[in-house]
Amino acid sequence: MQGKVIVVTGALGALGKVVAETAQSRGARIAGIDYAPSQVPATPERIEIGGVDLSDAAQAKTAIEAAAEHFGRLDALINIAGGFAFETVGNGDIKTWQRMHALNVLTALNASHAALPHLAASKAGRIVNIGAMGALQAGSGMGPYAASKAGVHRLTEALANEWKGKVTVNAVLPSIIDTKANRADMPKADFSKWVTPQELAEVILFLASDAASGVTGALIPVGGRV
């Protein structure tokens, strides 16, 4: 990670914070982009760009260009921004499907589209997306979320083929992530079977590293202990 410039979307969320902090502790310079506002001043090692709706292509491009201008280049993009909704088809709202598509697919698409020219100019351009194990086979109530994450899987594969030899593109597919929000939503669950943000960060940062130069188009399940 030493010296690499890494953009992390959703950088102020539970997973985004861990990924950004871990990468920075290993010598990376971080551009954190998030929908939430941020008043943290920019430094040579880190810039936080808040108040960005990445589902809007113009806002995504502006944020990515600001990151590239601040550091002079981009080496990796980690697309963590996203959302979750649990809703059955019969009792649900079509707008939930649209919202999940915007939060999970369009955020990754728009950030990637804006970053690709910069990543292709790097000697080791990387994109790492966040898919979901739950998108491999959707259960009841998981339709909107699973469909959107399946879109992230297909986006990952398409980009990997389109940019082969220039930028590697992979996705991690977490099981349930051990966060405060998930524990509150599922208080009776066995938390020991969930993947921790740090465990997930290790896989993400491997895929963003020089060591993963031979890996592209991979969808890698993470978690799901038995």
Side-chain angles (χ1 to χ4, degrees):
M1 294 290 103
Q2 186 65 42
K4 289 191 177 297
V5 176
I6 301 177
V7 176
V8 180
T9 74
L12 300 181
L15 177 60
K17 284 182 180 179
V18 173
V19 170
E21 290 171 0
T22 302
Q24 190 170 357
S25 73
R26 296 174 184 176
R29 292 179 288 169
I30 302 297
I33 301 175
D34 205 282
Y35 184 75
S38 175
Q39 302 298 324
V40 177
T43 69
E45 291 76 35
R46 184 159 182 159
I47 182 173
E48 289 190 2
I49 307 168
V52 180
D53 180 359
L54 288 169
S55 68
D56 180 277
Q59 291 189 45
K61 182 174 178 59
T62 297
I64 292 293
E65 292 301 326
E69 181 177 355
H70 182 76
F71 291 114
R73 74 175 200 275
L74 301 179
D75 298 308
L77 168 65
I78 301 173
N79 283 312
I80 298 177
F84 176 79
F86 183 89
E87 186 175 282
T88 62
V89 177
N91 296 320
D93 191 327
I94 299 302
K95 291 182 179 179
T96 302
W97 290 71
Q98 296 170 330
R99 181 164 61 88
M100 287 295 95
H101 179 78
L103 288 175
N104 293 321
V105 181
L106 291 184
T107 55
L109 171 62
N110 290 335
S112 297
H113 187 268
L116 276 165
H118 300 287
L119 298 175
S122 169
K123 293 182 179 179
R126 306 278 188 265
I127 294 176
V128 184
N129 294 323
I130 308 299
M133 285 178 64
L136 299 178
Q137 183 175 8
S140 176
M142 292 291 288
Y145 176 75
S148 66
K149 286 299 188 179
V152 173
H153 299 176
R154 303 293 83 80
L155 170 64
T156 299
E157 293 166 339
L159 285 176
N161 279 287
E162 292 171 13
W163 291 80
K164 188 172 292 185
K166 298 179 181 179
V167 178
T168 69
V169 188
N170 297 287
V172 296
L173 281 54
S175 59
I176 301 172
I177 304 174
D178 189 0
T179 65
K180 289 182 179 179
N182 284 337
R183 287 192 176 209
D185 288 341
M186 294 171 276
K188 296 182 180 181
D190 183 351
F191 306 143
S192 68
K193 294 184 178 180
W194 295 357
V195 61
T196 69
Q198 187 62 52
E199 289 172 327
L200 196 52
E202 296 295 339
V203 181
I204 290 169
L205 294 178
F206 166 73
L207 293 172
S209 74
D210 291 340
S213 61
V215 183
T216 194
L219 307 176
I220 303 175
V222 183
R225 299 178 182 86
V226 294

